[in-house]
Amino acid sequence: MKLLLLQTRPMIGDFSRQVDTIQKAFSHAQKESVDLIVTSELFLTGYFPKDLLRQDSFIQASLDALQAVLDCSQSFPDQALIVGIPMHTKTGKGLSNTALLIQNGTILHRQDKRLLPYDDIFDEPRYFEPSLSYAVIPFKEEILGICICEDAWADDKKTYLHHPVADLVSQGATLIINLSASPFYQGKPELRMSVFSDLATRYQIPIVMVNQTGGQDEVLFDGGSFVLNAKGDCTALASFFKEDFLVTSTLSQKQQEKKMPSCESQLVRAVVTGIQDFVQNSSSKTVLLGLSGGIDSAVVATLAVEALGSKQVTGVLMPSPYSSKESVIDATALAKNLGISTCMYPITEIMTTMDRLQPLVRVAAENRQSRIRAMILMGLANQTESLVLATSNKSEVAMGYATLYGDMSGALLPIGDLYKIQVYQVAHWLNSNREVIPKNSLSKPPSAELSPNQVDTDTLPPYPILDAILSAFLEEGCDTKSIIGRGFKQDIVTWVLERLSQQEFKRWQAPPILKLSNRAFGSGWRMPLSKYVAVSFYPKLR
């Protein structure tokens, strides 16, 4: 059987776009003599519509789009389609996450999703009723077992009572087809391939997985759709972080080389995709950001140019009396290397005026500098109808080492899920072909330059130590005792975790943070706003 894996970037609520994509897919499938087209999960609405699912008009629009697809399919009677869409149910919440098999204007089979994830960024039980049963459907020379995303992860997570793939196999399925909207985080492409390969091997059955690509708010989808044979070998692999009409055959047994992007490449392509799609979804064309001469703003600027082009990015230099000449030189050199326009607004005069009106000292005076810069950036953004990109990293966001209404201001925080050490790794990767980020930005001690001779280690532990403690706690779910057992000093571990809990109020007011890890600050981070002292109660990751 010949397949077309329709790996695209569905946009939430853009039903005409999704219908048009399917029409193009039908035409392409006809030319290629394809038997079956497969889309990603909730393709017609886009994933994930959230509370739009509670609006009757939205559901009706998706049903209207379905009718347009049914009408279109009549013109291509030899091609069938499996498409994802929310459908009405007679019980419970009134909706199901559904896959429909369509041919020649007729719905041949309906399969609702059974396993509805509710961890991390997911909250599908809020909207959907789970399927109570699974059924196979004969098609061409195969018996199809259709399932949706999480349904294929039951054996891996070991937290579900039901195993949909096992049920389908027991009913005689000869081919498993999985419609997915499987979000990206670092290492997820390899994990996903491993989980599905184990599944194919365990049940000795070929598997087709179609994933969407692109960014939606803070969530990123990497694509990487594939076909596995009954031995778990990959016989077809779609592109990562880009749309792809992949035509393949279930008869192919030739093993496809698993060309997984490197760690740094994954992160770069993810952030670039996130910036690109966030700006497009916001109906904006241009962005601006503060250029300090430091590593964080240099990386964000470089990735923004990769995403949008140099003409769409503006760097704003806002030196204070504490900004070194080298920092201004580095920021200017970066802008020249990237080919972006810049403007300069020294803030010394504003600082002097503010100090006369309201004298402040120490941290309060430092924070005011950051807020002055935010005021300038937001004013420029309003004037030019641009979006501001914030530049804080995950280490800073965790520790509150970023100023509320200051450098935390912006429409998007692209590297807010990259630890400082990772920012350096990405910077070196970006410089691997040619020097884009000045060497001095990579080599000088990190500093906010808000007071004389200031460096980050005046306030924070060295980043290799800080990042290791945070990673163990956040990504691995380790408790205080086990982190100390790794050789870290008790007072440092205690200080880091207590400060993490104290800064929650800032994170609630942060811009959207692109999700790059399995435990990102954002919609999947659901800690109490008020200070939570008992950090030892932090739940283990499942």
Side-chain angles (χ1 to χ4, degrees):
M1 185 168 65
K2 205 167 185 181
L3 299 166
L4 192 162
L5 278 56
L6 190 58
Q7 176 180 295
T8 64
R9 175 186 172 250
M11 296 181 67
I12 290 177
D14 195 344
F15 298 105
S16 60
R17 172 191 171 98
Q18 271 81 271
V19 171
D20 182 63
T21 299
I22 287 179
Q23 290 173 339
K24 292 177 181 177
F26 268 121
S27 297
H28 188 68
Q30 186 181 61
K31 292 177 183 178
E32 297 287 339
S33 299
V34 164
D35 299 299
L36 180 62
I37 305 165
V38 184
T39 77
S40 54
E41 179 181 8
L42 290 182
F43 174 83
L44 282 181
T45 60
Y47 191 95
F48 191 68
K50 299 183 179 179
D51 278 5
L52 287 174
L53 291 167
R54 294 184 168 183
Q55 296 186 13
D56 292 339
S57 59
F58 183 82
I59 299 302
Q60 185 57 53
S62 69
L63 294 175
D64 293 342
L66 173 60
Q67 186 59 55
V69 170
L70 290 169
D71 294 342
C72 175
S73 72
Q74 291 181 337
S75 301
F76 303 91
D78 294 331
Q79 281 71 45
L81 167 73
I82 300 178
V83 63
I85 182 176
M87 293 290 286
H88 288 299
T89 60
K90 295 180 180 179
T91 60
K93 296 179 176 63
L95 284 179
S96 63
N97 184 339
T98 301
L100 298 176
L101 173 61
I102 293 169
Q103 188 170 27
N104 196 19
T106 302
I107 296 175
L108 303 179
H109 182 69
R110 169 177 172 168
Q111 181 59 65
D112 298 341
K113 187 175 183 178
R114 181 157 200 170
L115 305 184
L116 304 177
Y118 56 88
D119 58 334
D120 194 43
I121 62 172
F122 298 107
D123 197 9
E124 290 193 23
R126 175 183 173 95
Y127 308 98
F128 295 129
E129 194 70 18
S131 171
L132 298 179
S133 63
Y134 266 78
V136 297
I137 176 74
F139 180 79
K140 299 290 183 179
E141 67 272 20
E142 303 284 359
I143 300 176
L144 304 182
I146 303 172
C147 60
I148 303 174
C149 204
E150 187 84 354
D151 289 338
W153 291 75
D155 290 349
D156 177 72
K157 294 192 174 181
K158 298 180 174 59
T159 56
Y160 293 109
L161 297 176
H162 304 286
H163 294 254
V165 173
D167 290 346
L168 292 167
V169 172
S170 69
Q171 295 180 48
T174 60
L175 176 65
I176 298 295
I177 295 182
N178 181 269
L179 286 66
S180 281
S182 180
F184 168 82
Y185 56 76
Q186 189 178 348
K188 183 68 172 289
E190 294 86 351
L191 173 62
R192 188 187 303 118
M193 180 68 75
S194 175
V195 167
F196 278 83
S197 181
D198 289 347
L199 202 62
T201 303
R202 181 180 302 117
Y203 297 107
Q204 291 293 291
I205 191 169
I207 297 179
V208 174
M209 190 283 299
V210 179
N211 191 25
Q212 76 174 57
T213 190
Q216 180 57 51
D217 300 334
E218 83 240 69
V219 183
L220 306 170
F221 300 92
D222 54 295
S225 305
F226 52 71
V227 177
L228 306 177
N229 63 24
K231 297 179 181 179
D233 299 324
C234 181
T235 60
L237 181 62
S239 304
F240 289 93
F241 292 106
K242 63 186 296 187
E243 296 187 321
D244 199 351
F245 279 31
L246 179 62
V247 176
T248 184
S249 171
T250 57
L251 297 177
S252 175
Q253 295 297 310
K254 183 178 180 181
Q255 187 170 351
Q256 173 79 26
E257 183 181 355
K258 299 182 182 69
K259 296 180 179 179
M260 297 292 183
S262 66
C263 172
E264 290 79 14
S265 177
Q266 284 186 27
L267 294 175
V268 166
R269 292 167 73 175
V271 175
V272 167
T273 297
I275 295 174
Q276 190 174 55
D277 290 354
F278 188 91
V279 172
Q280 181 178 344
N281 290 345
S282 302
S283 300
S284 297
K285 295 181 179 179
T286 58
V287 299
L288 52 87
L289 71 158
L291 291 185
S292 66
I295 191 67
D296 296 320
S297 62
V299 167
V300 172
T302 305
L303 296 176
V305 169
E306 180 69 22
L308 307 172
S310 58
K311 293 183 179 180
Q312 312 304 318
V313 181
T314 299
V316 185
L317 284 68
M318 297 169 285
S320 79
Y322 309 118
S323 300
S324 65
K325 292 181 180 179
E326 290 76 16
S327 291
V328 176
I329 292 172
D330 293 338
T332 304
L334 172 75
K336 182 178 180 180
N337 292 342
L338 293 175
I340 65 175
S341 60
T342 62
C343 51
M344 184 178 293
Y345 293 87
I347 66 171
T348 302
E349 186 175 346
I350 302 176
M351 289 172 58
T352 300
T353 301
M354 292 296 296
D355 286 342
R356 185 173 63 251
L357 294 173
Q358 183 190 45
L360 298 176
V361 296
R362 295 186 292 275
V363 174
E366 294 178 5
N367 286 342
R368 184 155 68 188
Q369 294 173 55
S370 182
R371 292 180 178 125
I372 290 170
R373 288 171 171 144
M375 180 180 65
I376 292 171
L377 287 172
M378 296 309 299
L380 286 171
N382 290 156
Q383 186 73 23
T384 60
E385 298 184 350
S386 298
L387 297 179
V388 174
L389 299 182
T391 61
S392 298
N393 58 63
K394 190 171 188 175
S395 309
E396 294 171 340
V397 173
M399 295 291 94
Y401 196 67
T403 303
L404 196 59
Y405 318 123
D407 52 341
M408 287 183 69
S409 300
L412 182 68
L413 188 45
I415 62 170
D417 200 24
L418 288 181
Y419 293 110
K420 188 74 168 188
I421 296 301
Q422 291 178 298
V423 175
Y424 278 103
Q425 292 169 348
V426 167
H428 284 291
W429 190 89
L430 291 170
N431 271 7
S432 58
N433 292 324
R434 70 181 183 94
E435 183 180 312
V436 178
I437 299 173
K439 291 181 180 179
N440 194 47
S441 295
L442 288 161
S443 61
K444 64 185 177 184
S447 171
E449 293 191 330
L450 297 175
S451 60
N453 303 313
Q454 183 186 45
V455 291
D456 289 2
T457 50
D458 292 341
T459 305
L460 303 175
Y463 283 112
I465 295 174
L466 174 62
D467 290 354
I469 293 172
L470 288 172
S471 179
F473 185 71
L474 297 174
E475 277 79 30
E476 299 179 50
C478 297
D479 58 21
T480 306
K481 183 177 180 180
S482 61
I483 297 174
I484 295 171
R486 296 185 178 190
F488 297 103
K489 293 181 179 180
Q490 180 175 345
D491 58 339
I492 294 179
V493 173
T494 302
W495 182 87
V496 167
L497 298 187
E498 286 185 350
R499 187 173 174 97
L500 172 70
S501 72
Q502 293 165 355
Q503 303 303 310
E504 195 63 43
F505 74 100
K506 287 188 177 182
R507 290 188 287 272
W508 273 50
Q509 301 177 71
I513 297 171
L514 294 180
K515 180 177 171 61
L516 303 170
S517 72
N518 66 335
R519 194 59 169 152
F521 298 123
S523 62
W525 175 262
R526 304 183 187 185
M527 288 296 177
L529 173 59
S530 55
K531 181 181 177 182
Y532 52 96
V533 179
V535 292
S536 60
F537 294 149
Y538 186 86
K540 286 281 187 181
L541 295 175
R542 292 190 300 167

